[in-house]
Each structure stands twice: as structure tokens, then as C-alpha cells.
Amino acid sequence: MAIKKSELYSSLWASCDELRGGMDASQYKDYVLVMLFIKYISDKWGGDKFSPIAIPKGASFKDMVALKGTTDIGDQINKKIIAPLVEVNELTDMPDFNDVSKLGSGKEMVDRLSNLIAIFENPGLDFSNNKAEGDDILGDAYEYLMRHFATESGKSKGQFYTPAEVSRIMAKIIGINKIKTTAKTTVYDPACGSGSLLLKVSGEAKGAVSLYGQEKDGATSGLARMNMILHNYPSAVIKQGNTLANPLFKNDQNDQLKTFDFVVANPPFSDKRWTNGLSLPEDPPYNRFQNFGIPPAKNGDYAFLLHIVRSLSRNGKGAVILPHGVLFRGNAEAEIRQNLIRKGYIKGIIGLPANLFYGTGIPAAIILIDKENAQSRKGIFMIDAGKGFIKDGNKNRLREQDIHKIADVFNEQEEIPGFSRMVANSEIEANEFNLNIPRYIESQETEDIQDIEAHLMGGIPQTDIAALSQFWEVFPTVKNALFAKTKRAKYASLKVQKEEIKSTILEHPEFVAFTSLMDTLFKKWKKKNTKELQGLTIGFNPKELIHDLSEGLLDNYHKKPLIDPYDMYQHLMNYWNEVMQDDCYLISQDGWKAETQRIIVESGKNKKKVDKGWTCDLLPKGLVIQRYFKSEAAALEAEQTKKESIASSINELVEEHSGEEGYFGEMEKVSKANVSARLKELKGNKEASEEIAVLKKYLELLLEQSKTNTLIRIAETELDDFIYAKYPNLTKDEIKELVVEDKWMQSIEKAIQNEIDHISQRLTNRIKKLAVRYEHSLPEIDQKLEDLENKVIGHLQKMGFLWN
């Protein structure tokens, strides 16, 4: 059975539960990630003489399993597993598995470590047979854990992880995907953390690359080294040390900084101790600040930026994340900024939303450095991407559509009002080299201004109607169907009732034609991709698949009226992440198999195993029912509807005859036993015939309810048996049709259709809002108020409270 990413992630996160309480997330992450690392290398390369990492005899995950329950398990893991792996593979700063302050002592440590090992023994976490070549499922799991660790670690300790979404943007815009790379192509990160940013850049390359990273924190540099191995970059060079005080990548000949083709970094923001260990102002022998200026003593943002500039080769390209302040702060930083701009090194700036990063809530920017053709650069391309995100817990997160749009707009240098613009150096110089994005890109958000004259005299302002021009360009005569001219040229009236606005739009021939065009567009994409999806074979790469699917969908809706193609793209990506991704990994591993699994859960103190039925991950029961057992399902639904009707009748009967004088009023609880007992009391009492009839009706309904429940249980069991028997007999073509057409395409089409529906909703809601806003003029309101006052006075006079 293939590894499902969602199950893999939940299993790994469950392992964290074994360690919570004894230490902070920034500490227990080390134990979980080391366990993940050992499990992975043991599964993938155990017994392989040519593996990129050596696994000494007796130091595999299997050997770790043998230590479960031993009284000195922590010490044995350190000596027999960790130490040999560290020695032969030059790993550093591994966690101490015998630390009583973190893992407890005695039986507590034994149980905790034994349970942790047991989680990784799960047969579902077998990485030895992953057939999705080129897809780093373990690397993705590593990213998942790092993101959650960063979230739990809080503000002070999230620095070891750059959000993957930001890393992906940097990787897509730095230019590495525009060339054919080789092993001689170098990528460097001077503050590499766990290495995720380096790996994202390498993932965009169209060939081999060589990775280099330096990280100040010892434990984090050890994570980076393991991360490189997990992502099949065992030859990556990761060094531990303070990059500013002691850069470890230097030329052998002259002790100068080694230069690289590409440099990326997310350095610590505004480091107040950056000068520690440096000889300023000369900075020998690196001269990183020469011809630029020395950064402020209490703020290291530009120190890292200038280190990157010096570390780039003649035509090198860099991308660095820094706080927004570097764009506009004065004094020493203003001088450095001016010199960088005059040299033409800054190619672009991308402003990001606030609260993206785990170490801080302040907004940041990506600064693109490009030495190639720097002297001829006449401007800086700016993007204001600060408004595109979703809330994710207490942080903000870029969506797939935000990542794609930012990368597309930057790479194509596309100018979009309110979002992106090429700013000439002359304009920047006129602004005293201030690069604050709002100076150059104005927000397109317009204030919804109330029209005083419309409130006084009635009518809907033509300016508000004209503001909907994007709709009128597509539906020019819909406008005429909704609005009529008035004697006042600047104002219109609504032709239809407010309740008829939506139907007027939806039923108009122009809107019908538009929805027909949208249907045709989706059917075109669906037809092309249905055939390709049904042709998937074992070993295909899921990541390549979703790339092709999503890019095709994006192109399908490119420059279509009223449609944001990135919204459509997001719907597909949402479905991919929630459902389709797991399905594709199953197919890539096992092929088109609709395998059923029993659901076994542990219950009670004795953890007795209970069978809760069965399921099928790739092909849910509902799809098989809909295709092959419609009549049986309809009959079952009819009984369930009948059950609901009976329950409703019982509730109505009880409610009608409850209360102090009701037949059920004196009963402590209305039940079969109490009603039957009451009937016995009334036996032979002719005066209580009406009460007897009500009580008998209640018992009759209960009996009917019981019979219906029995029929439902029988029908459910029979239908479940029919379905269970059907699965083994499904042909491969039938499975393909059910999964691709009934499951995937129907779900995607529904999401796309909802987006089309939003178009009419936006137009309807805005027109209705305007209609309500200006429905009554001030004179009409005054007259209505006067009429009501006169009516009240009249009533008071009739009651004798007022006299003429």
C-alpha cells in the first residue's frame, strides 16, 4: 500500500505527542526529525553499498527497534545508533537521547522512547518502495514538520524555518529556471537555517546544481545536513558558524569570499549584535562594505545584504528577505541604498503581507539582486503583494494563487495597476532613493462614497453604475434592462423590483451566453485531461501531473472576461491538497486498484480492537452506490425519509398534548413504558376515550418507528454487502471512470461553477445595495415621519391624553 501524505503527516505529528511536556517544540523537533531521518535512510539505503550515506552495521532503524523496552534505551541509542552514524557521515549536533531533563528518567524515558520508536514502526511508513520517482515524499514530510514546529516554537524560536510559500517565490523569480544548470552551477545561503530555501531553489533548476550553506546555530545546521540527505542532496556542503564574523566559504588562493551563481537568504531581521567578531570599518580581508557604506552598529540588515552582493559572481543573482525598513530608513542605510541603486544591482522588490514569518509579525520584502547588465539597468520592478493571503491560525499564509501570480508578474515584468510597476531610477532619485513601495504603487481600493444629492432627491448615481464597467463591457444590454434614465442626467432609477434583480441578470441572454462560454471552456479542459488522467500508470510523478493540470487550467481561463484565472487555479490546488494528491500517490504506487480496508479501532481501558466496518481511500462507497446501486440507495433513502417523518409526528403529538392540562403533562418522561402504564390505569374508563386514543396513537407511532429502523438496518447491511462484493469485480476501466470522472472532475467542476456563480452574485449584491441605499429620498422620509407623528397624535387624542 502506498504512503498517503495526509496519513504520513498525521503519524509524524502524533510522534510529537510522545515528547510534549518535557521540552519546547524547538527542542523536541530535533528528536522527531532525527528519528525520521534514521527511518528513511534505513528503508531507502539499508544494505546498499553505493548509497550516498553510510549506515554502519548495528546502527539502522531495525537495530533501534530492538532497543525498545530496555532499561538503558537512551544511552544505547546514543552509543549504538547515533554515534556511528555521526562518525561515518560527518553529522553534527545530534540530540541526546539520554537527557533526563527532557525525556524523563527511569521508566518514563523507557516508555517515551519506546513509544516514539513504535510510531515509526507503522507499516504505512515504509519508504523503501516509493515508486513516484523524483517526488521527495519524505522531504515534503520534513517541510510539514518544520512548519508545525515553527508554529509551536513561538516568536523567539521560529527562525530555523522560512515559510515554504516565500521560498518558492524566491526560487521562481531568481532566474535559475531560465538556464540549463550543471553541477558547476552554485547556489549559496549564508543563513541557511534548516536548508529549505536552498532546496526550493534547487527544485526549480533544470539540471544539477551544487548547494552550499552556512548556519550559525549548531543544532539547526545539523538539521540542514539531514534535510539535504532526505532530499537527495547528500553532497551539499553545510558549514556551522557565524557568517558575518567568520564566513567559511572562501577562495583558497587569496582568502577572499567564494562567489556563487545564485545566493538566497532569510537572515535574522535587524540583528543588533552583527558587529561581534568583525574588524570595522575595513572588514579585512573581505571588504564587504567598501564603496557602499557601513551598516548601523545596531542593525545588521544591510550587513547581510552586502555580504550577499560580495558573494555573487560577476553575473550572479540573489534574493534576500529583509524587513520593510530597509526600503526607507535613513542615515547610514540611506547611503548604502543609494549606492546599490546607482550601481544598478537592485532588479526588483516584492512587498509581502505582514505576519508571514514565525520570528516576527512585521511585513517583509524580497529584494532581488542581479549583477548581470547592472550598469544598463534603468529602473526597479516593484510588486505590492501585501494584500494576497489567507489566515492560517494566528499567522498569515500565501495561497497557491498568490505564489503563482507574484512569480508570473515578476518574470514577465507585467505592470498591473495597484499591484506592480516598473519604476524609473530617475523617479526613485527624485524621491531621494526612498524605495517604500506605497510611494510608487497606489492602492486600487476605492472608498464607497455616499451621494448626498441621491439621498436628498432620490435616484442611483451614474458614477456608481459606471464603477461596474467591467460587467457592462460583457453585459452591455443587461445594464439597460436594470436601469432607466431620469430627468436628472447624473442619476438613474431601477427598472425592476429589488427582488427581481438576480433573476433579471441570470435570465438575460447576454448572461446566458456568458455562462455557456464558461461551460464550454471547462468542458474543453475536462475533455483533454480526462483522457490523460485515465492513462496514468505506476511510477508517474504526482508533482509533475499537478503542474501540468494547473498550468493548463490557468491558460484555459487566461484573459477571459470577468474571470481571474488565478482564482480558478486556486480551486484546483485546494482540491489537490485536500483529496487528489493522496489519490495520485496511491495510483503511482499501486496502480488503479480499489482496495478495501477494515477500520479497526481500540476501545476501552483494555484497548479492545473493534471492527468499525470498511473503507476504500481511492474509491469512496458513495461513488459506487451512485453508479451501480441507485435503486437500492433510493429505497433506503425513502425509509430514512419515512423515519424522519415519524419522528416529526411523535414530536408534534407530544408537544400538542404536553403542558399542565395535556395528556403527557404529568409524566416525568414521555416514554413507551410510562405511556403503557398510563393506558393500563385508564383501561375501561369510557370518559377517557380521547386520552386513550392519543396514547395509543403515540404507541402506534413508536411501533412504526421501530419497524422502520429495522428495515433501515437491514437495507443498510444489504447495500453495504452489495457494495463490498462489487469492489473486487470492478475492472480497471471502471475504476478509472469512477475516480477520474465521478470523483475528480465532478468535484473540480463544482468548485469552478461556484466561482462563475460568484460573478452574478457580486453584480446582484452591489446593485441591490445601491437600490436599498437610495430607495427613499430625504423628503419621502420626512413625509413618512410626519405621517407617523400625526398618526400617533391622533391615537393619543382618542385616548384622551392630548387635547387640541
Side-chain angles (χ1 to χ4, degrees):
M1 177 63 68
I3 298 172
K4 286 179 63 180
K5 283 198 172 184
S6 59
E7 290 185 0
L8 168 62
Y9 296 166
S10 61
S11 295
L12 293 178
W13 196 238
S15 66
C16 302
D17 291 332
E18 290 296 330
L19 299 173
R20 285 189 181 93
M23 64 195 93
D24 181 80
S26 63
Q27 297 172 317
Y28 70 67
K29 77 177 189 306
D30 300 339
Y31 292 93
V32 176
L33 290 171
V34 166
M35 193 72 73
L36 171 65
F37 174 75
I38 295 172
K39 170 64 173 169
Y40 179 71
I41 63 173
S42 298
D43 283 355
K44 186 159 186 177
W45 292 310
D48 184 353
K49 295 181 180 179
F50 305 101
S51 69
I53 187 166
I55 306 173
K57 186 176 181 180
S60 70
F61 180 75
K62 183 178 179 181
D63 298 303
M64 187 181 285
V65 171
L67 298 176
K68 285 196 309 179
T70 57
T71 55
D72 58 347
I73 184 173
D75 185 53
Q76 290 297 311
I77 290 176
N78 283 342
K79 292 178 178 178
K80 293 184 176 180
I81 311 295
I82 302 298
L85 284 170
V86 167
E87 182 179 354
V88 299
N89 295 291
E90 299 180 357
L91 300 173
T92 58
D93 292 286
M94 293 294 228
D96 180 3
F97 278 79
N98 200 38
D99 189 335
V100 295
S101 65
K102 296 176 181 177
L103 298 169
S105 59
K107 188 175 186 300
E108 182 183 1
M109 177 186 285
V110 173
D111 290 346
R112 180 168 279 171
L113 291 177
S114 297
N115 292 338
L116 183 62
I117 294 169
I119 290 170
F120 284 86
E121 281 187 279
N122 181 348
L125 301 184
D126 182 359
F127 307 112
S128 61
N129 209 18
N130 179 28
K131 295 180 181 178
E133 285 301 323
D135 190 272
D136 52 348
I137 189 168
L138 236 292
D140 289 345
Y142 186 96
E143 289 288 336
Y144 168 87
L145 286 171
M146 292 299 290
R147 182 171 70 252
H148 282 72
F149 288 137
T151 301
E152 287 210 348
S153 292
K155 188 172 183 178
S156 63
K157 297 176 181 176
Q159 71 275 7
F160 53 77
Y161 177 71
T162 302
E165 297 83 11
V166 179
S167 299
R168 287 168 57 196
I169 291 174
M170 296 171 74
K172 290 176 182 295
I173 63 176
I174 200 171
I176 199 167
N177 54 3
K178 296 179 180 179
I179 62 172
K180 177 64 178 176
T181 61
T182 68
K184 293 182 179 181
T185 306
T186 54
V187 184
Y188 166 58
D189 185 342
C192 69
S194 61
S196 61
L197 185 48
L198 274 174
L199 291 165
K200 287 294 185 293
V201 175
S202 70
E204 288 291 325
K206 295 181 178 179
V209 293
S210 294
L211 303 182
Y212 301 83
Q214 183 166 341
E215 168 56 37
K216 183 177 180 179
D217 183 78
T220 305
S221 67
L223 293 180
R225 172 65 180 144
M226 290 189 290
N227 200 6
M228 295 297 139
I229 295 170
L230 290 175
H231 282 80
N232 288 323
Y233 277 95
S235 60
V237 182
I238 304 295
K239 296 187 178 183
Q240 191 265 317
N242 185 328
T243 296
L244 294 180
N246 183 27
L248 298 175
F249 292 100
K250 294 178 283 190
N251 292 325
D252 296 333
Q253 299 85 355
N254 54 18
D255 208 33
Q256 293 293 308
L257 292 178
K258 178 179 174 64
T259 57
F260 302 87
D261 300 310
F262 298 93
V263 180
V264 289
N266 176 21
F269 286 2
S270 306
D271 185 359
K272 291 180 172 58
R273 295 179 294 276
W274 73 272
T275 59
N276 290 352
L278 274 74
S279 298
L280 296 175
E282 293 82 5
D283 184 37
Y286 315 117
N287 302 317
R288 288 170 286 192
F289 312 128
Q290 188 177 15
N291 300 324
F292 294 103
I294 300 174
K298 298 297 183 181
N299 193 316
D301 292 331
Y302 272 103
F304 276 102
L305 180 55
L306 293 176
H307 175 84
I308 289 170
V309 170
R310 290 294 189 203
S311 299
L312 284 170
S313 61
R314 180 180 300 176
N315 292 321
K317 296 167 174 55
V320 58
I321 304 167
L322 291 172
H324 262 175
V326 301
L327 303 178
F328 53 80
R329 291 193 296 249
N331 301 319
E333 292 184 314
E335 178 189 353
I336 298 171
R337 187 167 59 246
Q338 178 176 326
N339 289 326
L340 285 167
I341 294 169
R342 287 194 183 282
K343 285 182 177 292
Y345 283 167
I346 301 178
K347 179 181 180 180
I349 299 169
I350 300 171
L352 298 171
N355 204 26
L356 281 184
F357 298 90
Y358 296 98
T360 178
I362 66 173
I366 300 173
I367 299 177
L368 271 293
I369 303 295
D370 191 350
K371 286 189 173 180
E372 188 174 10
N373 301 320
Q375 293 303 318
S376 60
R377 187 161 288 124
K378 302 299 181 184
I380 297 175
F381 191 76
M382 296 187 183
I383 293 179
D384 181 1
K387 299 178 182 66
F389 62 87
I390 59 170
K391 294 295 294 181
D392 185 10
N394 63 349
K395 305 300 290 182
N396 295 331
R397 181 166 58 84
L398 295 170
R399 299 164 295 182
E400 292 289 338
Q401 68 183 87
D402 302 319
I403 298 167
H404 209 302
K405 182 178 181 179
I406 292 169
D408 287 349
V409 170
F410 186 88
N411 290 331
E412 295 166 16
Q413 303 282 281
E414 179 186 359
E415 293 192 296
I416 300 174
F419 186 75
S420 60
R421 183 180 167 221
M422 175 60 78
V423 183
N425 285 341
S426 57
E427 183 178 353
I428 295 171
E429 187 171 355
N431 278 285
E432 299 179 334
F433 298 95
N434 187 312
L435 295 177
N436 198 19
I437 296 173
R439 282 187 177 232
Y440 307 100
I441 300 177
E442 293 184 7
S443 172
Q444 295 296 294
E445 292 183 0
T446 57
E447 186 179 355
D448 190 9
I449 300 173
Q450 302 268 348
D451 189 295
I452 300 300
E453 183 178 338
H455 280 301
L456 290 172
M457 303 179 65
I460 297 174
Q462 291 284 6
T463 52
D464 284 321
I465 297 173
L468 299 168
S469 59
Q470 58 174 324
F471 293 100
W472 310 138
E473 289 173 5
V474 183
F475 316 129
T477 61
V478 171
K479 176 182 174 182
N480 299 329
L482 290 167
F483 300 103
K485 294 181 179 180
T486 66
K487 293 180 180 179
R488 292 155 51 234
K490 293 183 178 180
Y491 298 89
S493 63
L494 193 62
K495 277 186 177 181
V496 300
Q497 297 296 316
K498 297 192 301 291
E499 297 76 17
E500 297 174 356
I501 294 173
K502 184 173 183 178
S503 60
T504 301
I505 295 171
L506 293 178
E507 295 169 8
H508 195 282
E510 286 176 348
F511 192 83
V512 172
F514 172 77
T515 54
S516 177
L517 170 64
M518 293 299 106
D519 289 343
T520 301
L521 278 174
F522 182 78
K523 287 175 182 176
K524 175 185 173 184
W525 179 84
K526 176 182 177 180
K527 182 178 179 181
K528 175 183 181 298
N529 290 288
T530 294
K531 184 176 181 180
E532 292 189 13
L533 288 170
Q534 290 181 342
L536 296 175
T537 57
I538 289 177
F540 77 90
N541 189 318
K543 286 189 175 179
E544 290 179 1
L545 171 68
I546 188 55
H547 175 269
D548 293 343
L549 286 175
S550 59
E551 292 301 312
L553 188 69
L554 203 58
D555 291 341
N556 195 52
Y557 289 98
H558 182 60
K559 291 187 177 180
K560 296 300 183 291
L562 300 178
I563 294 293
D564 184 341
Y566 294 101
D567 286 337
M568 301 303 195
Y569 171 84
Q570 185 65 42
H571 285 301
L572 174 58
M573 296 308 298
N574 286 344
Y575 184 67
W576 171 261
N577 290 325
E578 293 166 6
V579 176
M580 195 173 170
Q581 177 179 220
D582 277 344
D583 289 347
C584 286
Y585 275 93
L586 290 173
I587 296 167
S588 179
Q589 179 72 25
D590 302 323
W592 295 92
K593 294 180 180 179
E595 295 181 342
T596 58
Q597 304 97 37
R598 305 304 303 186
I599 304 173
I600 308 296
V601 299
E602 294 181 346
S603 179
K605 293 182 179 179
N606 297 326
K607 294 187 177 182
K608 181 180 178 182
K609 292 185 177 180
V610 180
D611 189 337
K612 292 289 185 178
W614 59 278
T615 187
C616 179
D617 291 327
L618 182 62
L619 194 55
K621 296 179 184 180
L623 295 177
V624 177
I625 292 172
Q626 186 63 26
R627 182 66 75 107
Y628 299 107
F629 301 102
K630 272 188 177 181
S631 59
E632 292 85 349
L636 175 58
E637 186 178 353
E639 291 297 329
Q640 289 170 335
T641 301
K642 183 179 177 182
K643 175 185 175 180
E644 292 171 3
S645 177
I646 295 169
S648 179
S649 297
I650 291 172
N651 290 335
E652 289 174 6
L653 185 68
V654 172
E655 187 175 346
E656 181 183 354
H657 297 284
S658 294
E660 291 182 4
E661 297 182 359
Y663 300 135
F664 300 117
E666 294 184 1
M667 292 184 186
E668 184 176 342
K669 179 182 179 183
V670 181
S671 64
K672 180 180 179 181
N674 289 340
V675 171
S676 298
R678 179 58 178 164
L679 275 173
K680 284 184 179 180
E681 292 176 9
L682 297 173
K683 189 174 182 181
N685 188 342
K686 294 181 180 180
E687 294 180 0
S689 58
E690 185 176 336
E691 181 179 357
I692 291 170
V694 170
L695 298 177
K696 284 184 175 180
K697 179 63 176 176
Y698 175 83
L699 293 178
E700 288 171 5
L701 287 171
L702 281 187
L703 180 61
E704 190 176 1
Q705 186 182 56
S706 177
K707 289 179 179 178
T708 304
N709 287 338
T710 300
L711 289 175
I712 288 173
R713 285 195 295 272
I714 293 171
E716 285 176 338
T717 301
E718 288 180 348
L719 179 57
D720 197 60
D721 290 342
F722 288 151
I723 304 167
Y724 192 70
K726 180 67 178 177
Y727 271 81
N729 296 316
L730 288 169
T731 66
K732 185 180 292 187
D733 287 340
E734 286 175 328
I735 295 171
K736 289 180 179 181
E737 190 173 358
L738 284 162
V739 173
V740 176
E741 295 188 32
D742 293 8
K743 186 179 183 182
W744 294 347
M745 285 301 176
Q746 280 191 24
S747 298
I748 297 168
E749 184 171 10
K750 183 178 180 181
I752 296 294
Q753 185 57 53
N754 286 340
E755 191 62 41
I756 303 299
D757 292 342
H758 287 161
I759 294 171
S760 65
Q761 290 172 12
R762 290 198 302 270
L763 181 58
T764 298
N765 293 341
R766 180 57 181 169
I767 295 173
K768 188 173 289 186
K769 184 176 182 178
L770 292 172
V772 171
R773 176 182 293 173
Y774 301 113
E775 187 172 13
H776 301 291
S777 65
L778 184 59
E780 289 175 339
I781 295 171
D782 286 342
Q783 184 61 54
K784 187 173 183 180
L785 180 61
E786 184 179 343
D787 292 343
L788 289 171
E789 285 179 348
N790 291 334
K791 191 173 182 179
V792 171
I793 290 171
H795 284 304
L796 291 173
Q797 287 175 341
K798 287 180 180 180
M799 291 186 288
F801 290 104
L802 291 175
W803 294 267
N804 291 326

